[in-house]
C-alpha cells in the first residue's frame, strides 16, 4: 500500500486540467454497541478516500469535475484525476468562480506518518461498562449504548503548490438506561476525542437519578410550558441554524437570516440575552480543520475553488446581535464583504453566565426539564420552524425539585425565536447533540430557560 502523500502527488501529476485540487482522507474507527445489557457488535473499520477536483476554463466559463473514490495505489489515484478532468470538460460553467488558493505559511507536518486507531482504544472503557451492567441488573434496568473512537487525517494539495494537513481525533459515547418494561428511560451523551476520558460511573449515576425519578409519572396535555433545555438539546437546535447561515441564501430570501424586503439581518438583535454564537478551529477540546475542505457540490456554504483557505475564528452572533454570515470568496467579492468559511465546531455562550443545569432546576417554581430532542425536521425555512420529539426523559420540576416524569411531546419551535425568548442561560459546557451528533458533534452550549416552549401534541413514544 502506498503512503497517502504519494497518492496525492500521483493524482496531481496525472491531472492535465487548468487547475486541480486533491483531498485525501485516511479514516480509521473502532466501535462498541450494546443493547439490553448485552454486547451486540464491535468493529474496526479503515478507509482511504480521495477526491479530485478539476477546473477547466472555456469560453463560456469555468467547468468543474469532481470525483470521489476509494484509492489504494498510485495508478488508481492517477485514474481518479483523469476522471475528474473528463468530468470538467462535460460540466456546465459554474458561477462561483475564484482563483485557486495560493500557498501560504503554515506549520503542518505534511510528511508525518498517519495516525490510526484500533479496538484497543476502547479497552479502558469495558470494565466500567461491565460493572454498570451488573449493578443495573439488580435494579431491573437495561443498558443500551454506543461508543466510537475515530482518527481522520486530511491531506489537501492544489496545483498552485498549496499543501495542508490536519489530524482529527474524534468520538462519541452514548448510554441509555431503560426499565425492563421499557416504560422509563434516560439518556446520556458525550463527545469524547479520547476514549480514556469516558466516565461510565458519572454517566450511570446521572441516568440512575432519572430512572428513579421516573417511577412517578404525571400525564400533561400539550401547551406552552416553561422549559429547561439542557446543552445537548440546545446544540441540536443551534447546529440546525448554523447549517443555514449562508449569506447568499439569506440574500436570496431563502432562510431565517433574510431581511423582509431584501438583504440579510446582519446588525439585527436576535437574542434578548447577551448570547454569543461563534466557531473557532482552535477551541480547546473541540479542535477541527483549520482550513476549508469542500468535496461536495457547489453550495452557498462552500465552494470547491476555496479549498485550502484558512478558517479563522468567527463570531456569528455577538451578545445577541447577528454580526456575520458564511460567505464564499466569490460571494464576498460580489458583495464587498470578507470571505467567511464555516468551521467544524459551534459554541454558544452568555456573558457572565455561571449557573449549572442543577442551579437552574433549583430556581424553577414549575416547569419541564427536557433530556434530549429527536427526529428534528424543518417545517418552514424562512422562519426556521422545526418540529421534533422529546426523547428519553421529560421531567416535571416543582418548587426547585424534579418530582416526576412526564409524557413525551412533539414540539414546534424555531431556534432563532428561542434565542429571542430565552430568559436565562447557564454556563457553557462541551456537549453532544443527540440527533445531529453523527455529523456535527463538536459543540459547547449552555442550558437555556424558555418561558413558553411550545409542546404541540403529546407523543406516545417511550
Amino acid at each position: 500500500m502506498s503512503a497517502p502523500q504519494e497518492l496525492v502527488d500521483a493524482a496531481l501529476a496525472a491531472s492535465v486540467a487548468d487547475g486541480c485540487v486533491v483531498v485525501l482522507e485516511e479514516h480509521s474507527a473502532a466501535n462498541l454497541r450494546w443493547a439490553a445489557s448485552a454486547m451486540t457488535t464491535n468493529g474496526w473499520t479503515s478507509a482511504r478516500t480521495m477526491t479530485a477536483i478539476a477546473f477547466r476554463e472555456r469560453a463560456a466559463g469555468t467547468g468543474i469535475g469532481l470525483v470521489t473514490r476509494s484509492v489504494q495505489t498510485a495508478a488508481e489515484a492517477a485514474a481518479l484525476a483523469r476522471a475528474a478532468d473528463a468530468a470538467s470538460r462535460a460540466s456546465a460553467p459554474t458561477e462561483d468562480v475564484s482563483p485557486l488558493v495560493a500557498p501560504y505559511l503554515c506549520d503542518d507536518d505534511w510528511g508525518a506518518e498517519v495516525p490510526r486507531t484500533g479496538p484497543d482504544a476502547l479497552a479502558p472503557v469495558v470494565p466500567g461498562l461491565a460493572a454498570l451492567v451488573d449493578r443495573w441488573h439488580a435494579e431491573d434496568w437495561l443498558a443500551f449504548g454506543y461508543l466510537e473512537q475515530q482518527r481522520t487525517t486530511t491531506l489537501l494539495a492544489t496545483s498552485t503548490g498549496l499543501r495542508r494537513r490536519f489530524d482529527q481525533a474524534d468520538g462519541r459515547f452514548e448510554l441509555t438506561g431503560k426499565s425492563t418494561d421499557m416504560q422509563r428511560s434516560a439518556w446520556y451523551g458525550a463527545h469524547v476525542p479520547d476514549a480514556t476520558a469516558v466516565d461510565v460511573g458519572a454517566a450511570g449515576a446521572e441516568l440512575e437519578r432519572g430512572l428513579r425519578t421516573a417511577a412517578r409519572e404525571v400525564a400533561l396535555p400539550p401547551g406552552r410550558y416553561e422549559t429547561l433545555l439542557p446543552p445537548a438539546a440546545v446544540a441540536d437546535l443551534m447546529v440546525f441554524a448554523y447549517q443555514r447561515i449562508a449569506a447568499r441564501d439569506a440574500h436570496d430570501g431563502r432562510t431565517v437570516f433574510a431581511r423582509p424586503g431584501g438583504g440579510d439581518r446582519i446588525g439585527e438583535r436576535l437574542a434578548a440575552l447577551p448570547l454569543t454564537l461563534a466557531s473557532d478551529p482552535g477551541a480547546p477540546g473541540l479542535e477541527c480543520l483549520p482550513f476549508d475542505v469542500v468535496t461536495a457540490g457547489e453550495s452557498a456554504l462552500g465552494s470547491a475553488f476555496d479549498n485550502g483557505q484558512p478558517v479563522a475564528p468567527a463570531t456569528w452572533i455577538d451578545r445577541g446581535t447577528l454580526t456575520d454570515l458564511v460567505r464564499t470568496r466569490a460571494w464576498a467579492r460580489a458583495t464587498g464583504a470578507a470571505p467567511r468559511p464555516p468551521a467544524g465546531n459551534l459554541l454558544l455562550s452568555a456573558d457572565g453566565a455561571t449557573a449549572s443545569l442543577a442551579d437552574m432546576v433549583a430556581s424553577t417554581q414549575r416547569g419541564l426539564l427536557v433530556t434530549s430532542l429527536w427526529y428534528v425536521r424543518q417545517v418552514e425555512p424562512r422562519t426556521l420552524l422545526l418540529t421534533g420529539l422529546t426523547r428519553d426523559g421529560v421531567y416535571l420540576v416543582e418548587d426547585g425539585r424534579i418530582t416526576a416524569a412526564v409524557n413525551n411531546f412533539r414540539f414546534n419551535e424555531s431556534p432563532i425565536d428561542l434565542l429571542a425568548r430565552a430568559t436565562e442561560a447557564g454556563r457553557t459546557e462541551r456537549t453532544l447533540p443527540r440527533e445531529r451528533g453523527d455529523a456535527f458533534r463538536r459543540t459547547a452550549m449552555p442550558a437555556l430557560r424558555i418561558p413558553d416552549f411550545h409542546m404541540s401534541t403529546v407523543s406516545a413514544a417511550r
Side-chain angles (χ1 to χ4, degrees):
M1 181 182 292
S2 301
Q5 294 87 343
E6 295 172 0
L7 300 185
V8 172
D9 289 339
L12 278 177
S15 176
V16 294
D18 296 314
C20 183
V21 172
V22 176
V23 179
L24 184 145
E25 290 186 329
E26 189 90 7
H27 180 77
S28 58
N31 65 73
L32 292 175
R33 189 184 299 276
W34 56 97
S37 295
M39 197 68 68
T40 57
T41 59
N42 67 303
W44 176 78
T45 61
S46 177
R48 175 182 289 170
T49 303
M50 177 180 282
T51 298
I53 308 170
F55 303 87
R56 179 70 56 183
E57 295 176 7
R58 302 187 300 256
T62 302
I64 300 177
L66 187 154
V67 181
T68 300
R69 292 178 189 159
S70 172
V71 298
Q72 302 300 329
T73 67
E76 292 173 345
L80 179 73
R82 289 192 292 271
D85 288 346
S88 70
R89 292 189 183 92
S91 68
T94 183
E95 296 180 355
D96 199 26
V97 177
S98 290
L100 295 187
V101 177
Y104 53 87
L105 290 176
C106 65
D107 57 1
D108 300 346
D109 190 354
W110 174 265
E113 186 175 350
V114 170
R116 295 176 177 83
T117 191
D120 291 347
L122 308 182
V125 185
V126 174
L129 283 174
L132 179 87
V133 167
D134 288 344
R135 190 168 72 247
W136 282 14
H137 180 73
E139 300 275 2
D140 274 345
W141 296 334
L142 298 173
F144 299 76
Y146 184 70
L147 172 64
E148 182 180 67
Q149 193 84 123
Q150 300 179 354
R151 295 300 297 263
T152 302
T153 293
T154 302
L155 300 172
L156 184 148
T158 73
S159 54
T160 60
L162 177 67
R163 298 286 189 279
R164 292 300 315 256
R165 168 188 174 140
F166 186 68
D167 297 317
Q168 178 84 65
D170 213 346
R172 64 185 168 119
F173 171 59
E174 294 190 62
L175 179 63
T176 301
K178 289 181 178 290
S179 57
T180 52
D181 62 2
M182 301 294 171
Q183 296 302 299
R184 290 180 276 165
S185 65
W187 174 82
Y188 173 93
H191 170 239
V192 285
D194 179 1
T196 61
V198 171
D199 190 342
V200 177
E206 182 175 322
L207 298 191
E208 289 162 13
R209 287 192 292 273
L211 290 169
R212 290 196 174 94
T213 299
R216 175 176 178 250
E217 186 168 353
V218 173
L220 290 180
R224 291 188 176 273
Y225 292 92
E226 179 168 317
T227 299
L228 299 178
L229 296 175
V234 174
D236 262 317
L237 296 169
M238 289 301 109
V239 169
F240 224 109
Y242 184 46
Q243 292 174 333
R244 284 149 183 81
I245 203 169
R248 185 168 186 172
D249 286 342
H251 177 271
D252 293 343
R254 291 199 290 257
T255 72
V256 70
F257 300 108
R259 185 183 300 277
D264 58 46
R265 298 172 67 182
I266 287 179
E268 183 175 331
R269 189 163 188 88
L270 301 183
L273 298 175
L275 291 167
T276 294
L277 185 70
S279 53
D280 179 359
L286 299 172
E287 295 86 352
C288 58
L289 277 163
F291 53 91
D292 210 3
V293 174
V294 182
T295 57
E298 184 179 351
S299 82
L301 286 171
S303 167
F305 292 91
D306 295 350
N307 270 300
Q309 71 168 324
V311 176
T315 300
W316 311 108
I317 297 174
D318 187 6
R319 296 175 176 83
T321 299
L322 182 67
T323 53
D324 215 341
L325 297 169
V326 167
R327 275 177 226 93
T328 65
R329 290 185 299 153
W331 188 248
R333 283 197 309 276
T335 57
R340 192 67 70 201
N345 62 23
L346 191 63
L347 307 93
L348 181 68
S349 61
D351 284 359
T354 59
S356 66
L357 183 58
D359 294 335
M360 294 172 71
V361 168
S363 61
T364 301
Q365 184 172 12
R366 181 178 171 83
L368 301 179
L369 170 62
V370 171
T371 296
S372 65
L373 307 178
W374 190 247
Y375 209 69
V376 183
R377 297 294 181 267
Q378 181 174 272
V379 177
E380 211 291 303
R382 286 172 296 182
T383 59
L384 197 53
L385 178 64
L386 306 178
T387 189
L389 301 171
T390 62
R391 187 177 182 188
D392 291 325
V394 180
Y395 302 100
L396 178 64
V397 181
E398 297 175 297
D399 298 324
R401 295 175 51 248
I402 299 173
T403 58
V406 176
N407 44 272
N408 278 305
F409 294 95
R410 173 168 291 282
F411 69 89
N412 290 308
E413 284 286 4
S414 163
I416 304 304
D417 285 349
L418 293 179
L419 291 181
R421 287 156 39 214
T423 55
E424 184 183 7
R427 67 191 182 205
T428 293
E429 56 187 66
R430 287 169 50 191
T431 189
L432 178 73
R434 173 76 186 273
E435 183 179 24
R436 309 190 77 78
D438 275 349
F440 198 108
R441 62 188 57 165
R442 290 178 287 277
T443 60
M445 298 281 150
L448 291 180
R449 183 188 302 277
I450 310 298
D452 53 355
F453 194 88
H454 186 203
M455 302 295 187
S456 54
T457 60
V458 169
S459 168
R462 291 286 183 176

